[in-house]
Amino acid sequence: MSPGENQNLATKESEEEPPPVLGTWPRLYAAVLLGLLVEIVLFYVVTRLFS
Amino acid sequence: MRVIDWVVLGGSLVFIVTYGVWRNRHHRDMQSYLLASRQMPWWAVALSIMATQASAITFLSTPGQAFADGMRFVQFYFGLPLAMVVLSVTAVPIFHKLKVFTAYEYLENRFDVKTRALAAFLFLIQRGLATGLTIYAPAVILSVLLGWSIGITTAVTGALVVLYTAWGGAKAVNETQLQQMIVIMAGMFLAFVVILRLLPKNVSFVESVAVAGALGRLNAIDLSFDWTNRYNIWSGLIGGFFLALSYFGTDQSQVGRYLTGRSVAQSRLGLLFNGIAKVPMQFLILFVGAMVFAFYQFVMPPLFFNPVEVNKVKSGPLKGEFTALEQQHAEAFAKRRQAVERFIRARRSHDAEREARARAELKKADDQVLLVKAAAGDLIKENDKKADRRDTNYIFLRFVLDYLPAGLVGLVLAAIFAASMSSSSAELNALATTSVVDVYLRFIHKDGREAHYVVVSRLLTVFWGLVAVAFAQYASRLGTLIEAVNILGSLFYGTILGIFLVAFYVKRVGGDAVFWAAILAEGLVLWMFWKTKVSFLWFNVAGCLAVVVLATLFSLVSSRFPREHANPSD
């Protein structure tokens, strides 16, 4: 199986079963990354406030 | 330990082991034994992924890490959510579609059998040793509680895990992990509540946090860039990303967890939930350590937290010197305690200049305590050459035993044991799966009955349990366990990840090129480990990039060479 075929498989599966929240997988991925960004900002604030 | 603590601890362990054995005693085929029939919902996959990663080391060593070095260790996990997204997009659909038992099976499909064997071999070495560290952590507790040697306690802990893992396979691992996570979360949450209640009544929570912050324990984010600095935001995001990508994408102990999901979506959701929950969870565990540190600013801590080593030195020829150090420690602590009170009063005055002066005095007083503590570590080492001069792994345990109320001590210890069992059972299951599928079934015995492979899987689970217990005997010499386990992983993960990235994304590279690139890349990583001071998180990046670049180069050269060689006159 070639990598091109691998990615086709991934795309096909994504289309078949959407996530239970936010409608599409890319939106859910973006939410996870946004969560990380918020956490880093919060931790930075804690560091600046107390160190 | 009081009777109620032993009842809670013993009851939890006996229930988990018995449940794991009894509920999953019937397995007739490999699909059921090794991958729980691929029927798990997303929340079970998520719990299993998190429970596998969060071993006893996480709950014993991480609070101690924050106590000794502050919260900057949290940055180590910043690459994890990124890796969860990448794996959800790429690896999960491919592994599911091909219905593989192990990640390494895919490599034969994509390259050749020797590349599959190499990746499986690197995994078996790395994970076989790392499981020893996982088993060692709770054995430390038993050793402290019962006064038994580490050799005996590692054997007892290992035997408990091997019993239900060998008997019940992947389903026992998954089902017991659910109960284990409940015990773990309840134990850590209640420990945190108790720590807050133990802080002095006349000092607010924010002031306690400020004391920990003034002494550098709330340094969660470090924006500076330094190759030799283990934990800053860059090593966390980049190195941590590569480490997490390797661990979750190529380590069978994790791949085996999400392959139990009943569909691509369920496996993906399990991974993404881990991406959302892992960083806050680690932050809170580190914060528990920072609060234990704040507590010990008001109550005198032991000079050295490892009671076994303290007893040794006190019963030897260096007893007098250690007692003198204890006296110096008490004096240094009293001065620091006064400095803490001055700092709190300065904060209340809202006078920035006064606060800065008080902060500097506090830091100076803390440095004196640290000097005495370092001298105690040296004395411990002088007394016993094999002893570890650091006591980080014992800090949280000692606090729990000394200050938590009856019943809760048993629950927290049960949480630490549950964490160890959840990780080591998944690791043993993965080691058995890889040994059977990638070695035994592929090279030794191809046409056996399903029942035969289930029996072999059980025997190999026992074998890897023995290997892990044997390696655990050396774990006390490796320093902070949470770092030791990650350093060990970083020696191999980059190379394995490089092989998989080439498999997924570099279409033109074949088996020979990636195989030799991986051999050279592993040599490079080992050279960096022995000969340079580069921080271990970068080993993952170096190993991975070396495989990708070298494999591409070898592929280019080999595609030109045969043509030139065959037609030298062209």
Side-chain angles (χ1 to χ4, degrees):
Chain A
M1 179 185 293
S2 72
E5 284 171 288
N6 288 341
Q7 279 164 7
N8 286 343
L9 279 177
T11 314
K12 196 177 164 194
E13 291 281 354
S14 307
E15 285 165 0
E16 279 170 7
E17 197 174 0
V21 290
L22 299 177
T24 65
W25 288 106
R27 279 192 209 151
L28 192 57
Y29 300 148
V32 172
L33 299 181
L34 188 65
L36 173 65
L37 186 65
V38 170
E39 283 159 5
I40 291 175
V41 171
L42 284 176
F43 297 163
Y44 184 70
V45 171
V46 169
T47 304
R48 295 290 295 176
L49 270 180
F50 290 104
S51 293
Chain B
M1 284 266 286
R2 286 141 290 195
V3 175
I4 179 98
D5 294 316
W6 283 111
V7 170
V8 172
L9 175 60
S12 308
L13 296 186
V14 168
F15 173 74
I16 290 170
V17 173
T18 312
Y19 182 86
V21 171
W22 180 77
R23 277 268 297 173
N24 302 286
R25 57 199 183 282
H26 302 300
H27 287 288
R28 290 184 185 82
D29 60 81
M30 287 171 67
Q31 194 85 243
S32 151
Y33 184 79
L34 298 177
L35 290 179
S37 305
R38 302 184 200 259
Q39 284 303 312
M40 291 293 160
W42 73 267
W43 55 267
V45 173
L47 280 177
S48 186
I49 288 169
M50 294 181 77
T52 300
Q53 191 183 16
S55 67
I57 295 170
T58 311
F59 299 98
L60 271 180
S61 190
T62 308
Q65 179 83 15
F67 184 102
D69 188 47
M71 296 188 59
R72 65 192 186 118
F73 184 64
V74 75
Q75 297 166 113
F76 171 83
Y77 295 94
F78 287 171
L80 188 145
L82 301 167
M84 296 302 97
V85 169
V86 171
L87 291 172
S88 294
V89 174
T90 54
V92 174
I94 294 167
F95 290 157
H96 261 277
K97 192 74 183 177
L98 294 176
K99 296 211 179 302
V100 290
F101 279 93
T102 73
Y104 319 113
E105 269 184 279
Y106 165 68
L107 293 178
E108 183 170 359
N109 199 310
R110 168 68 178 82
F111 295 122
D112 51 31
V113 68
K114 68 176 180 298
T115 308
R116 170 185 179 179
L118 175 66
F121 175 69
L122 291 176
F123 164 74
L124 289 173
I125 295 179
Q126 184 273 127
R127 186 45 64 193
L129 299 182
T131 306
L133 295 180
T134 314
I135 287 176
Y136 170 76
V140 168
I141 301 175
L142 273 186
S143 173
V144 170
L145 290 179
L146 303 174
W148 297 355
S149 75
I150 289 286
I152 296 171
T153 53
T154 47
V156 169
T157 317
L160 276 178
V161 178
V162 166
L163 180 66
Y164 74 84
T165 311
W167 205 271
K171 199 146 181 274
V173 172
N174 277 28
E175 288 188 355
T176 49
Q177 279 177 331
L178 171 63
Q179 297 143 5
Q180 285 155 347
M181 278 303 273
I182 292 169
V183 174
I184 290 166
M185 290 305 159
M188 289 309 283
F189 175 74
L190 290 172
F192 181 62
V193 170
V194 171
I195 293 166
L196 296 186
R197 288 176 64 86
L198 285 172
L199 291 168
K201 296 280 178 285
N202 61 341
V203 178
S204 72
F205 168 69
V206 174
E207 285 168 343
S208 304
V209 174
V211 170
L215 293 174
R217 299 310 192 274
L218 290 177
N219 52 348
I221 300 287
D222 180 356
L223 295 175
S224 65
F225 184 87
D226 179 357
W227 289 105
T228 59
N229 180 357
R230 280 191 174 172
Y231 308 115
N232 56 48
I233 195 166
W234 311 112
S235 68
L237 277 171
I238 303 168
F241 167 69
F242 277 84
L243 178 59
L245 207 55
S246 313
Y247 175 54
F248 290 96
T250 71
D251 188 316
Q252 183 62 25
S253 67
Q254 282 295 355
V255 175
R257 300 300 92 213
Y258 57 80
L259 284 181
T260 62
R262 65 172 168 237
S263 68
V264 171
Q266 300 297 309
S267 296
R268 270 183 180 160
L269 288 170
L271 280 173
L272 293 176
F273 183 82
N274 186 39
I276 292 167
K278 184 69 184 176
V279 176
M281 184 180 121
Q282 289 302 134
F283 181 86
L284 290 175
I285 295 169
L286 284 163
F287 194 64
V288 167
M291 287 294 92
V292 170
F293 177 82
F295 167 78
Y296 278 126
Q297 303 310 303
F298 303 100
V299 175
M300 198 169 97
L303 171 57
F304 199 75
F305 280 90
N306 182 344
V308 176
E309 295 302 335
V310 169
N311 288 339
K312 271 192 210 166
V313 76
K314 280 189 168 177
S315 56
L318 300 173
K319 180 187 172 186
E321 285 159 62
F322 194 80
T323 308
L325 278 179
E326 281 184 320
Q327 183 59 35
Q328 286 176 36
H329 181 244
E331 287 163 15
F333 169 78
K335 284 182 185 163
R336 187 178 68 182
R337 172 83 209 259
Q338 289 167 0
V340 167
E341 282 165 9
R342 279 197 296 276
F343 173 71
I344 291 172
R345 282 198 298 275
R347 264 183 69 86
R348 287 175 185 167
S349 72
H350 300 292
D351 179 343
E353 207 172 300
R354 186 180 163 194
E355 188 181 330
R357 267 202 314 276
R359 184 188 292 265
E361 278 175 29
L362 175 56
K363 186 81 186 70
K364 208 171 157 190
D366 188 50
D367 288 343
Q368 282 305 311
V369 174
L370 291 178
L371 271 179
V372 180
K373 205 169 158 44
D378 291 343
L379 208 59
I380 294 277
K381 190 77 182 169
E382 193 183 329
N383 184 60
D384 178 2
K385 295 280 176 274
K386 290 179 183 173
D388 187 356
R389 57 159 56 86
R390 289 172 293 185
D391 57 356
T392 322
N393 298 326
Y394 293 84
I395 292 170
F396 185 60
L397 174 62
R398 186 72 187 268
F399 169 79
V400 166
L401 292 174
D402 288 350
Y403 293 103
L404 261 55
L408 198 52
V409 173
L411 182 65
V412 172
L413 296 186
I416 291 167
F417 272 92
S420 168
M421 288 159 73
S422 65
S423 296
S424 45
S425 61
E427 289 163 357
L428 289 176
N429 180 250
L431 286 164
T433 307
T434 305
S435 306
V436 169
V437 175
D438 296 304
V439 181
Y440 186 77
L441 202 153
R442 180 66 184 78
F443 295 107
I444 300 170
H445 192 280
K446 275 186 181 171
D447 304 313
R449 289 181 298 120
E450 287 279 326
H452 169 75
Y453 294 120
V454 171
V455 171
V456 173
S457 303
R458 285 190 165 129
L459 290 174
L460 282 166
T461 305
V462 176
F463 166 76
W464 282 111
L466 292 173
V467 170
V469 168
F471 184 66
Q473 312 305 316
Y474 296 93
S476 64
R477 301 174 199 178
L478 298 176
T480 309
L481 288 174
I482 191 77
E483 287 189 339
V485 76
N486 286 305
I487 291 170
L488 183 59
S490 297
L491 291 178
F492 299 96
Y493 278 149
T495 304
I496 303 178
L497 177 64
I499 296 173
F500 275 88
L501 286 188
V502 172
F504 288 144
Y505 296 113
V506 192
K507 189 178 175 182
R508 60 184 301 152
V509 174
D512 286 342
V514 81
F515 179 82
W516 291 111
I519 297 279
L520 289 174
E522 191 52 46
L524 171 73
V525 171
L526 292 175
W527 174 80
M528 286 173 74
F529 174 65
W530 291 112
K531 298 289 181 189
T532 74
K533 288 184 175 174
V534 172
S535 167
F536 73 87
L537 276 173
W538 296 108
F539 298 167
N540 299 284
V541 184
C544 177
L545 290 181
V547 174
V548 174
V549 171
L550 289 174
T552 310
L553 276 175
F554 292 165
S555 181
L556 284 171
V557 170
S558 65
S559 65
R560 286 172 58 84
F561 181 72
R563 195 168 58 242
E564 289 165 3
H565 187 71
N567 302 296
S569 58
D570 281 357

